[in-house]
Amino acid sequence: MLTKKQLNYIEDKTNEYVSDWLNDEANINFDSKEIGHKHGEEVESYVVKRFITEDDRFEEPEGSREFGDLYFNHSGVKEYINIKFGFQKKGQPNMGAANRFIGFLHNNTIDSYWVLSINLLDEKKNFQVHIFDIYKNLELIHYDNGTGQFMLKECIFYGGDYQINEDVLDKKYIMMKLKDIYNKGVDSLVERRLEQKRKKQVIFDYYGS
């Protein structure tokens, strides 16, 4: 778990790094589509590089499919941070595979999973930075059983008056909420597949049983 002081430090540094990237590195065509998708990896890599070169408490995951983009080590604990960049964020980026999202918490590999969200607001390069523990804010995710991923509902976070929850939650409470989200995603896919099957059956029935 990160302290308020550590959270403020990460947020302040991210603001500094993103500002540097926008002013010195970025070449954004604001008339193009999917700006967040096109530049996401670029800005995320830049932020990670700045953190790990300027503060030895941070490290970059070695594998290409690790759970998170950046690790922060303190007091013998490794914090997992997932960096998300977008332009006028309203999408549903993936947060991670369900097996890890649920299994890492269950096995006490982690007790928090941090989202470092960077939202580019306009062509004047105004932006927002937020960091929050997704396990404390499960209202912001849904489960896509087709991909096996939990997805972040940015439209809720950026589209209204959502307030980030920072209260400590019981592990059992978190797991029960994850269970409901997971089961809802599974049931939804099953219903869609059955509906597809029914529609195809109408065609097949035309040719006999």
Side-chain angles (χ1 to χ4, degrees), residues 182-194:
Y182 177 82
N183 287 344
K184 183 178 180 180
V186 172
D187 293 343
S188 177
L189 180 65
V190 171
E191 290 172 6
R192 292 198 304 272
R193 293 291 186 263
L194 289 174

Side-chain angles (χ1 to χ4, degrees), residues 136-190:
K136 295 179 181 177
N137 296 272
L138 293 176
E139 298 82 3
L140 297 176
I141 65 171
H142 74 95
Y143 178 61
D144 184 340
N145 193 49
T147 63
Q149 302 273 336
F150 282 102
M151 316 296 286
L152 180 64
K153 297 186 286 188
E154 293 177 333
C155 58
I156 295 178
F157 184 69
Y158 285 105
D161 56 358
Y162 183 84
Q163 296 295 313
I164 294 174
N165 177 48
E166 297 179 349
D167 296 335
V168 176
L169 299 179
D170 179 72
K171 181 178 177 180
K172 180 179 179 180
Y173 175 82
I174 295 172
M175 277 297 192
M176 290 299 96
K177 291 197 72 171
L178 281 172
K179 173 188 173 183
D180 290 342
I181 296 168
Y182 177 82
N183 287 344
K184 183 178 180 180
V186 172
D187 293 343
S188 177
L189 180 65
V190 171

Side-chain angles (χ1 to χ4, degrees), residues 1-3 6-7 67 72 74-81 100-115 132-138 165-172 174-175 178:
M1 195 70 63
L2 292 171
T3 66
Q6 291 167 334
L7 289 171
F67 194 52
F72 177 67
H74 67 103
S75 306
V77 177
K78 184 188 297 290
E79 304 284 354
Y80 291 60
I81 302 172
R100 292 182 177 182
F101 208 91
I102 297 170
F104 278 25
L105 182 64
H106 170 65
N107 295 324
N108 297 316
T109 302
I110 56 177
D111 63 2
S112 53
Y113 188 47
W114 300 97
V115 179
F132 56 91
D133 179 6
I134 196 63
Y135 286 128
K136 295 179 181 177
N137 296 272
L138 293 176
N165 177 48
E166 297 179 349
D167 296 335
V168 176
L169 299 179
D170 179 72
K171 181 178 177 180
K172 180 179 179 180
I174 295 172
M175 277 297 192
L178 281 172

Side-chain angles (χ1 to χ4, degrees), residues 48-79:
V48 168
K49 183 178 179 180
R50 289 289 297 273
F51 269 117
I52 64 175
T53 55
E54 297 181 17
D55 190 328
D56 60 11
R57 292 176 298 175
F58 292 90
E59 64 174 297
E60 185 176 8
E62 294 183 359
S64 61
R65 298 181 65 83
E66 291 291 327
F67 194 52
D69 304 300
L70 182 67
Y71 298 150
F72 177 67
N73 299 289
H74 67 103
S75 306
V77 177
K78 184 188 297 290
E79 304 284 354

